[in-house]
Amino acid sequence: MFVCIYQQRKWFYYIMLVIINNVNLISSDADKCGDLPNPAHTKPLRDQSPPFEVGTKLTFDCKIGYVDSGIKSTAECILENNNAVWDIQTKCIGVTCGYPGDIENGQRIGDIFRFPENITYICNPGYKIRGRAMSYCGTDGQWTDPTPKCIIKSCPNPQSPVNGHAAFTVTTYKSEVHYTCRKGFILSGPSKRQCQENEQWDGSEPTCVEVTCPEPLNIPGGYFISIKRGSAESGKYIDGDIIYYYCNNSAKTVLVRCTNGNWIGNLPECDVDPSFTTVSITTKQTTEKPTDIPGTQDTSMECQNIPKIEHGSYTEERDKSITYKCEKGYRLSGSKTLKCLSGKWNSKAPTCETGLPIGYILGIVFGIVALILIIIGASLYFVKKRKSQSPIKPTKASLSDAVNFEELQKLEKNHRPIPVTVL
């Protein structure tokens, strides 16, 4: 029985020894730090391996694009609540890029100028970006893209409608174009349009519609004769067409004119003759005043097809005439004013030409020639005057200049004697 108890105690001692050893192992592992730490923005350590004793302090270098803020990033193994843990201090910050600048007619979004942050530029309404809108702060401390620009938006050049004109100065955002029609046509659609944010003109493009008058009325006891500007086959009465009304039994005559789609003038009241009930309607296509119609008014302003000139414009004057003027940089050649006489213009339309008039050119040429002649004449005058004032040069000595035999010998030996003047 004693042996049995001894054996049981032996096994009990073995079990207790194993438990104590395991507890020591567990407690020893709890006093050490495990895996390597990885502070933010730092390079991992490759020459260290766990476990690490409490009190171990590791130093880390910053990744590319980051720099130390004066102190190195560290990780220290400390004991906290009987456990070994890493106390990490990250000191790496992104490199700084310079001030990126602002843009005119736009704004910048983003105020952090460090790696790897970015900024974005946006333009005000009516402007669009030229360049890259977004730029990043690089690892080298430089922005990846230059500062863009905001340029104003623009619409395409508006086209003039047929028989009309589109007037504009610029086609940028918020600018306007105004439409007009030439005489005899009326505008159908908007008279002006504005350039919008989408770089298109608002509204629809207008058209110029020909102004027509209704069919002239027949009058009892009379008839009319129409003078049409356009084609008689068209059957339309356009702006400027004339109707002459006559009474059958009198010389009374009334003229009405198609103006802006309406007949201007009062119809005559004719006496109705029972023996003459036929109404005669005659239509003529002409550009001249009818000379065979008695009692008609003067139609000197009924000249058709006002001549147009290139690089110029015209205005209608109250004295039934047309006055022309040229654009800047051009000069008028020909008659400045045309008058409509008996349905015809009194002269040809002028032209707008470049360069100086022939009169100016001839004047310049004659002026240059006259200046040259004056210079030549003055030069000849001064030369002649200088010759007349110059001293008389001594003439070459001859044998007659010798006064004695001695001087004669010197003269023969090529010696110049002193000339003697005999008074």
Side-chain angles (χ1 to χ4, degrees):
M1 184 175 181
F2 176 79
V3 175
C4 183
I5 294 173
Y6 176 79
Q7 292 292 334
Q8 291 178 351
R9 287 181 178 178
K10 185 179 179 180
W11 285 108
F12 175 76
Y13 290 145
Y14 284 140
I15 293 173
M16 292 300 296
L17 183 61
V18 170
I19 292 174
I20 292 172
N21 290 333
N22 289 334
V23 170
N24 289 333
L25 289 175
I26 294 172
S27 62
S28 62
D29 289 342
D31 293 340
K32 294 183 181 181
C33 291
D35 296 336
L36 279 169
N38 186 22
H41 314 309
T42 61
K43 298 178 181 179
L45 298 176
R46 302 186 183 279
D47 56 351
Q48 302 286 340
S49 60
F52 298 91
E53 298 290 339
V54 174
T56 303
K57 189 173 184 179
L58 304 178
T59 303
F60 296 85
D61 294 329
C62 296
K63 290 182 178 179
I64 296 176
Y66 295 87
V67 292
D68 295 326
S69 58
I71 303 175
K72 289 283 187 178
S73 297
T74 61
E76 184 178 1
C77 182
I78 62 174
L79 192 63
E80 186 177 281
N81 297 328
N82 296 322
N83 290 319
V85 294
W86 288 107
D87 179 23
I88 299 175
Q89 300 293 328
T90 301
K91 302 297 181 180
C92 292
I93 58 175
V95 296
T96 302
C97 290
Y99 184 71
D102 298 319
I103 56 174
E104 189 177 359
N105 301 311
Q107 56 183 319
R108 184 191 70 250
I109 299 176
D111 295 320
I112 302 176
F113 309 144
R114 290 182 177 277
F115 175 82
E117 303 296 331
N118 65 76
I119 56 174
T120 303
Y121 291 94
I122 59 175
C123 294
N124 296 337
Y127 292 82
K128 58 184 178 181
I129 202 81
R130 174 178 286 178
R132 289 187 177 274
M134 182 177 292
S135 183
Y136 291 86
C137 181
T139 58
D140 56 352
Q142 300 294 326
W143 293 103
T144 56
D145 295 280
T147 304
K149 293 182 179 180
C150 287
I151 61 173
I152 193 168
K153 292 184 177 181
S154 180
C155 291
N157 287 341
Q159 300 297 318
S160 296
V162 179
N163 297 312
H165 178 66
F168 61 94
T169 53
V170 294
T171 60
T172 52
Y173 177 66
K174 290 293 185 181
S175 63
E176 292 184 345
V177 54
H178 296 262
Y179 296 92
T180 56
C181 294
R182 69 180 181 89
K183 188 176 181 181
F185 292 82
I186 189 171
L187 197 67
S188 176
S191 60
K192 67 178 181 179
R193 301 169 72 191
Q194 190 179 67
C195 183
Q196 300 298 300
E197 174 78 15
N198 61 355
E199 297 188 280
Q200 296 296 326
W201 298 101
D202 67 343
S204 58
E205 190 171 327
T207 57
C208 290
V209 181
E210 190 175 28
V211 178
T212 60
C213 288
E215 288 290 329
L217 298 176
N218 294 327
I219 58 174
Y223 63 97
F224 68 82
I225 296 177
S226 64
I227 300 178
K228 299 174 67 64
R229 296 173 55 195
S231 174
E233 289 76 10
S234 66
K236 296 179 180 180
Y237 290 88
I238 62 175
D239 196 63
D241 286 355
I242 297 175
I243 299 292
Y244 292 99
Y245 279 95
Y246 302 93
C247 292
N248 294 330
N249 55 1
S250 71
K252 187 175 183 180
T253 304
V254 174
L255 180 147
V256 294
R257 178 182 284 108
C258 179
T259 305
N260 295 329
N262 297 302
W263 292 108
I264 305 300
N266 297 320
L267 300 183
E269 295 182 1
C270 301
D271 296 332
V272 179
D273 186 354
S275 62
F276 189 84
T277 58
T278 304
V279 178
S280 175
I281 302 176
T282 306
T283 302
K284 291 186 178 181
Q285 179 188 358
T286 180
T287 58
E288 300 182 1
K289 173 184 173 182
T291 57
D292 58 342
I293 303 176
T296 57
Q297 301 177 6
D298 182 18
T299 59
S300 60
M301 281 304 294
E302 295 309 319
C303 290
Q304 308 304 316
N305 300 326
I306 298 176
K308 296 182 179 180
I309 60 175
E310 190 175 3
H311 305 299
S313 60
Y314 65 86
T315 56
E316 299 184 21
E317 308 294 343
R318 293 185 177 181
D319 60 349
K320 300 180 181 180
S321 63
I322 300 296
T323 301
Y324 291 90
K325 66 178 181 179
C326 293
E327 297 174 356
K328 187 176 181 181
Y330 294 85
R331 60 180 180 82
L332 196 69
S333 177
S335 178
K336 179 181 180 181
T337 303
L338 300 185
K339 290 187 177 181
C340 183
L341 302 176
S342 300
K344 294 183 178 180
W345 298 107
N346 63 336
S347 64
K348 291 183 178 181
T351 57
C352 292
E353 301 177 356
T354 57
L356 295 174
I358 186 64
Y360 291 172
I361 297 175
L362 293 176
I364 293 173
V365 172
F366 287 134
I368 293 174
V369 172
L371 181 61
I372 293 174
L373 293 176
I374 291 173
I375 294 174
I376 294 174
S379 300
L380 294 176
Y381 170 77
F382 284 112
V383 169
K384 184 177 180 181
K385 186 176 180 180
R386 179 174 294 178
K387 287 183 177 180
S388 63
Q389 295 178 352
S390 60
I392 300 175
K393 296 181 180 180
T395 57
K396 186 177 181 181
S398 61
L399 296 176
S400 60
D401 291 329
V403 295
N404 51 41
F405 182 75
E406 184 179 356
E407 289 186 0
L408 184 61
Q409 289 180 336
K410 291 181 179 181
L411 186 64
E412 290 178 350
K413 295 181 180 179
N414 293 327
H415 289 283
R416 183 184 180 90
I418 298 176
V420 177
T421 301
V422 181
L423 297 179

